[in-house]
Amino acid sequence: MSKYEDDELSMHKIEDYDGNESKSKRNTVRLVIALIIIVGAIYASFRYNYSQMDDDYVGTQENPGIDTSKR
């Protein structure tokens, strides 16, 4: 084997390739994904509960309608 073949990049030389990652790295990735999901759920709930949908509605019960001039 020549010197250049030893320096060649290979997926098998990467620590995390093919399920060889350490347990702490795997747990870190799972923690980051869980935190992103939790933050997204909190954001979605605030967005849903405190949205300003009533500001765009200009109709009354007698004359319902939506203001389409806002863009």
Side-chain angles (χ1 to χ4, degrees):
M1 213 179 252
S2 73
K3 171 178 125 176
Y4 296 109
E5 289 176 2
D6 290 339
D7 292 339
E8 187 175 338
L9 293 176
S10 171
M11 293 298 286
H12 295 286
K13 291 180 182 178
I14 297 174
E15 179 183 332
D16 297 339
Y17 180 70
D18 203 22
N20 294 328
E21 66 274 354
S22 66
K23 193 169 191 157
S24 65
K25 283 186 180 182
R26 186 178 298 149
N27 289 338
T28 301
V29 169
R30 288 178 181 163
L31 178 66
V32 168
I33 291 171
L35 287 174
I36 289 171
I37 290 172
I38 290 169
V39 168
I42 291 171
Y43 175 75
S45 68
F46 276 116
R47 177 102 179 181
Y48 178 76
N49 290 326
Y50 298 108
S51 65
Q52 300 293 328
M53 291 169 63
D54 293 336
D55 289 346
D56 289 339
Y57 187 71
V58 294
T60 62
Q61 275 192 318
E62 299 83 27
N63 190 13
I66 298 175
D67 185 8
T68 58
S69 64
K70 290 185 180 181
R71 290 192 184 227

